[in-house]
Each structure stands twice: as structure tokens, then as C-alpha cells.
Amino acid sequence: MPISKNETQQLRVGRLLKAHGLKGAIKLELFTDDPARRFVPGAVFTLQVPTGSPWHGKTLELIELKWFNSHAVGFFKGVPDRTAAEGLVKAILWIDQDSDEQSAEEDAWFDHQLVGLDVIRDGEKIGVVRQVNHMPAQDLLVIEQASGEVLVPFVKAIVPAVDITAGTMTITPPPGLLEELPESDDDEAPTAEPPAEDTPTEKSQTE
């Protein structure tokens, strides 16, 4: 189904890592090369949190973004102390953005741009991206192959190139990620039987 120009998409811009200090500040992992644009006072983020969290279905408004020892630290409305901040740890921050607006950020794509890409390995197509799962630790690509679906971490070491124009994604997975490793010779070697114990001989006595 074509996406209309006025339709918006969610863009993931950060993750809340841990409480900082006692006044509700939270350290951030930024997924944007333009924090001055995304993290301005008054910016409102959609929260990705577990369904059991009191923050589920709510938004978070930024009061201020500061830097401490090169780490981004955010202060948010409704997060007055460390206890409240700890309740937001691992939450992922999303913003709305027009779907026809191309991201100017390096290595940043909308989910709808990735879904449907041909997956290339060693110059050959091996599958298609069907879904992007955003997990607390990292994003996972759901890749459909002839043998079924497989989950691939969406990290630079495994996915070195994404070409939206060409409709391809190049992957360099480590051994065993997409297929089972063959058993080693050691696994197939039969277990050696223990050597038979020597039968003791009776020593004749001499007078």
C-alpha cells in the first residue's frame, strides 16, 4: 500500500540508559547525528516500554539536554527524582516524522525503508527483510529465507551496507548465524575404549 505524503512514520532517536544523580536526570544513548535538532527543550517522545510499565502508552517531554564527560544526559517533565528516572531505564525514544522526509543522518533509516529490501551475501540474494524488531539491547532484522525466518542483529559489523535506492542490504554474518555449523571431527570421533588392566601375575617364592 503506498504511503501518502502526509502520513508520518516513527523514527527511533535514543535509548534511556541509567539514572544520573538524584534529580531525575537520565543518561542517553543517542541514535541521531543531530541531537541539537532532535533533543530541544519541549521535544516530545513516544516511549517504547514494557506493557506493565506505568509509562506504557505515554509520552515524555524533554526539559533540557546536557553533556557530562561526553555523555548525553536528559532532564524530562514528570521525572522529578532518581526513583522516577530508574523506572524509565531501557525505554526507547521515538519521534514522529513525515514519511517522505529523507533522514539526513548517517546510517539512519525508517523501518518502512528497510522492510522489503533484498538481502545480499557474497554477491548473491539470500532473502528479504520482512520486519525490524526494536529490542532494548539492539535492533533485530527478521530476514525471510527459503529455509524460514532468521533474526540478524542490525549492527554495522554484520550489516555493513544499506542501499535504499538499489533496494538491497548487504550482510556479512559470522559462521553459524544463518545456518548450523557442521559437526567437527572431534565430535564425530568415537570414544576410545579404556586400556585393559594388566592381570597381576603370581610371583613364585623361593626358599
Side-chain angles (χ1 to χ4, degrees):
M1 175 180 177
I3 299 176
S4 65
K5 289 185 178 181
N6 292 327
E7 187 174 345
T8 59
Q9 292 286 333
Q10 289 270 292
L11 181 65
R12 185 185 60 136
V13 292
R15 179 184 288 119
L16 303 179
L17 297 179
K18 63 179 181 179
H20 178 82
L22 303 176
K23 297 183 179 180
I26 311 175
K27 283 189 176 181
L28 287 145
E29 178 184 5
L30 302 181
F31 302 139
T32 172
D33 294 329
D34 194 4
R37 176 188 175 196
R38 304 297 188 190
F39 289 85
V40 296
V44 176
F45 305 96
T46 300
L47 289 169
Q48 180 183 335
V49 293
T51 54
S53 168
W55 286 96
H56 184 257
K58 297 182 179 180
T59 59
L60 195 62
E61 181 178 337
L62 180 68
I63 297 174
E64 186 179 11
L65 184 72
K66 293 185 176 181
W67 295 86
F68 293 90
N69 297 324
S70 74
H71 291 289
V73 175
F75 295 81
F76 298 93
K77 188 175 181 179
V79 188
D81 53 36
R82 187 178 184 89
T83 299
E86 289 176 343
L88 282 163
V89 169
K90 295 185 179 181
I92 298 175
L93 305 179
W94 297 79
I95 60 170
D96 290 332
Q97 182 166 313
D98 290 340
S99 60
D100 60 347
E101 179 184 348
Q102 298 298 317
S103 175
E105 299 164 14
E106 183 180 0
D107 296 340
W109 300 274
F110 295 112
D111 288 3
H112 75 275
Q113 292 177 298
L114 300 173
V115 173
L117 293 182
D118 291 337
V119 180
I120 307 299
R121 179 187 187 186
D122 297 330
E124 296 184 1
K125 177 181 174 180
I126 63 164
V128 177
V129 178
R130 292 304 184 198
Q131 188 175 332
V132 183
N133 293 336
H134 300 283
M135 311 303 291
Q138 61 186 183
D139 294 340
L140 295 175
L141 300 169
V142 180
I143 296 177
E144 182 180 358
Q145 302 183 107
S147 59
E149 293 185 344
V150 62
L151 297 177
V152 174
F154 192 25
V155 295
K156 191 73 172 179
I158 298 177
V159 187
V162 175
D163 190 333
I164 300 299
T165 303
T168 62
M169 170 185 292
T170 301
I171 68 171
T172 55
L177 182 61
L178 300 184
E179 62 279 314
E180 294 184 3
L181 293 174
E183 294 183 355
S184 65
D185 294 339
D186 292 339
D187 295 333
E188 298 177 352
T191 303
E193 295 183 1
E197 296 181 358
D198 293 334
T199 303
T201 58
E202 184 177 353
K203 184 178 179 181
S204 60
Q205 296 180 345
T206 59
E207 294 181 358

